[in-house]
Amino acid sequence: MGQTVSEAVIRRMHEWGVHRVYGYPGDGIGEFDGALGKAERKGEGFEYIRPTHEEMSAFMATAHAKFTGEVGVCIATSSPGAFHMITGLYDAKSDNVPVVAIVGQQGLASIGTFTQQEDNLERVFADVACYVQTITTPDQALAVVDTAFRTAIARLQPAVIVFPHDVQGMDVGELGAEHWVSRSSAVAASTRITPPQDELRRAAEVINAGERVTFLVGAGARGATDEVLAAADRTGAGIITALRGKDVIPADVPYHSQQVGLLGSLPSLHQIQDCDTIVLLGTNYPYGEFLPKSGQARGVQVDLKPEQLGVRYPTEVNLWGDVRSTLDALLPLLEQKEDRSWQEKIAAEFHDWEQEMERQAMLTFPDGGNPRRIFHELNRRLPEGAIVTCDAGTTADWYGHHIRLRRGMQGDLSGRLASMNGAMPYAIAAKFAHSDRTVICTIGDGAFQMLGMNELITIKKHLAAWDDPTFVVIVMHNDDLAQVSWEMRTEDGNPVWRTSQDVESVDYAGWARLLGFNGITVTKDEDAAAAVEAALAHRGVTVIDDVVTRNAPPLPPKITSEYRNNTVKAFAKGDPLAPQVLVDSAEGIVSEGIERVKGALHLGSKEG
């Protein structure tokens, strides 16, 4: 008995290892959805997760790729559903992960005739996707599917298949050796790329000549933890991780000083300012002001994305390869360094920094809870194998400053795109991928109100399927789009505009209870520890509604004159929150005063 194009595509997706898809139905993809339903009834389908919005499906597919190393797959109907997925697909593009999106289209005869829900989808997706193709004939279908998956894997980017409604239901036969017919295979291209030996020797010469080597490690080094540590041990290098690479290097490595930049640590900043050699491993770190000055340090970069080599810092050697294979080949060429003074200096500074972070977490504010406190208490209680997601905004500051991921733990967020609204779909996808592990979502109230609150409904639908139902959502309830409020002050010298910045206060714990979940409201810092303990002990979903001040400053490791002067300008222009901000900022700055003085002395600067 013959099969339809949709049935053939489903079988091919199985060959590509797909076992879960994130989709939202609609008439433009209806025939394909019907085939998915038929396959499910026969026990041959995928686990089909339907969130509350197509944007969530694309974010979930992106997160699935990040947390599993597999291709994420999302499905939506024609124009409106397809358009809704674009933000999530840009997240995949920005963070270099493979996703395949299948989007419906009106029938072939309607293309280009301005009928309802018919738009030029190939043109729409041309920028976000590394491959976009419409399936126009049954003979072409499998070649398009194979090329989409193969290209997404090789290019580490999203690919889009446009699937017209009438083609979805056409009959497909066996492909013969005919002109114009591609008989393709469901086999990925190898991505274990090792640079040539002469280039490896050049890189080794640069690294061996360094006395103060720093490794800047990103998410592109996932799977190469042991190799990075072996190279650091041989070269005496200090380690900094980009925010998305936080889980690549265990937090208990003493010379791993966590992140650098606005949400980084002072020891990481000192590493950058003092190193004579920097090695970028699987990172496209975008903040050039937090990289060494030109001419200060010699540079080597390793990345699987050749177009991203040498664009952040004037590196001498750019190695096109995956980090693990490249370091395997590079290690025999690296000289064993006996001098550990560089690593010891970093470790000593970071020990002091950790004490400072605890002091910051223990501060009290007159107008609300300290947002750092619950992250500090969570970090002390993270169970083995935990997965932590965070959203864009000040949530990312507290995550960077206080969460320390041990070996076996994972954490991620919308990185280069830095999109709000990512933490909840990321956490849900992580739970579907690893349902036996504890997942914690940390999110601001603004992002939670976008679509995050709705996704509790998705969790309610699927909770019974998870091996361990423990799922914790920590909502930073400050009634403010706090990161943007601070950026208005510190970047532009403008007062906060409350018309745009205020977030309507909502009983988030009550919303959780309405859905049958556990809801805990925290209004006092001293209750944060008990709330975290109760949430982690509860075999189910817990939403912690953490009521905190909107005025706690996300202080960078070094306060520059620009940061200070712009804030003063904002206050002078009539910032409506200036009195409270001054009090809360003073608390933070006084606590960090010792570190600020150290930083100023270290830099020979009058700033800070």
Side-chain angles (χ1 to χ4, degrees), residues 304-318:
L304 201 51
K305 300 282 292 181
E307 68 273 21
Q308 294 179 7
L309 288 165
V311 298
R312 294 288 177 244
Y313 186 77
T315 44
E316 290 184 45
V317 184
N318 291 319

Side-chain angles (χ1 to χ4, degrees), residues 2 7 14 41 89 104 160 177 187 257 394 401 445 454 533 577-578:
E7 290 169 336
H14 276 296
R41 291 189 294 275
L89 295 180
V160 176
V187 179
S257 57
T394 52
H401 284 163
D445 50 3
N454 288 350
E533 288 180 0
L577 300 170

Side-chain angles (χ1 to χ4, degrees), residues 110-130:
S110 74
I111 294 178
T113 67
F114 313 107
T115 193
Q116 186 181 40
Q117 293 191 348
E118 183 275 319
D119 290 280
N120 190 330
L121 297 181
E122 289 191 3
R123 184 182 299 167
V124 168
F125 288 106
D127 180 64
V128 71
C130 61

Side-chain angles (χ1 to χ4, degrees), residues 240-450:
I240 298 169
T241 46
L243 194 59
R244 287 205 56 236
K246 193 177 184 71
D247 59 358
V248 175
I249 303 301
D252 56 4
V253 173
Y255 45 87
H256 170 203
S257 57
Q258 295 291 315
Q259 287 70 66
V260 68
L262 294 175
L263 44 65
S265 71
L266 195 61
S268 289
L269 182 61
H270 289 170
Q271 270 205 75
I272 290 295
Q273 292 166 337
D274 284 350
C275 70
D276 61 16
T277 309
I278 186 163
V279 182
L280 294 91
L281 299 171
T283 180
N284 185 29
Y285 181 78
Y287 302 104
E289 67 270 34
F290 294 106
L291 290 175
K293 294 179 180 179
S294 296
Q296 170 199 320
R298 303 178 73 183
V300 173
Q301 186 171 359
V302 181
D303 210 290
L304 201 51
K305 300 282 292 181
E307 68 273 21
Q308 294 179 7
L309 288 165
V311 298
R312 294 288 177 244
Y313 186 77
T315 44
E316 290 184 45
V317 184
N318 291 319
L319 300 176
W320 179 16
D322 72 284
V323 174
R324 183 177 178 182
S325 297
T326 301
L327 287 182
D328 272 339
L330 186 61
L331 270 166
L333 305 176
L334 297 177
E335 297 173 357
Q336 181 68 49
K337 298 263 178 68
E338 301 303 327
D339 184 358
R340 297 287 134 171
S341 58
W342 175 239
Q343 288 183 338
E344 290 166 358
K345 176 179 179 290
I346 294 164
E349 282 194 23
F350 191 69
H351 178 268
D352 292 343
W353 178 258
E354 290 290 72
Q355 292 180 319
E356 175 55 36
M357 288 298 95
E358 182 169 6
R359 285 193 292 271
Q360 287 281 320
M362 293 302 169
L363 292 175
T364 58
F365 297 108
D367 61 334
N370 183 346
R372 294 176 178 269
R373 180 65 174 268
I374 202 160
F375 281 82
H376 174 76
E377 301 295 353
L378 171 65
N379 183 63
R380 294 177 62 188
R381 294 164 175 81
L382 281 176
E384 295 300 320
I387 302 174
V388 185
T389 68
C390 84
D391 217 275
T394 52
T395 308
D397 290 88
W398 317 137
Y399 170 82
H401 284 163
H402 295 280
I403 297 300
R404 304 291 180 252
L405 299 173
R406 304 187 299 275
R407 188 182 283 266
M409 295 180 178
Q410 289 180 279
D412 220 323
L413 75 163
S414 174
R416 188 163 67 89
L417 187 64
S419 174
M420 289 177 65
N421 199 33
M424 273 296 281
Y426 270 43
I428 293 170
K431 192 65 172 178
F432 278 115
H434 305 286
S435 71
D436 59 334
R437 295 165 64 177
T438 298
V439 174
I440 303 105
C441 167
T442 64
I443 189 168
D445 50 3
F448 197 55
Q449 286 189 17
M450 278 184 161

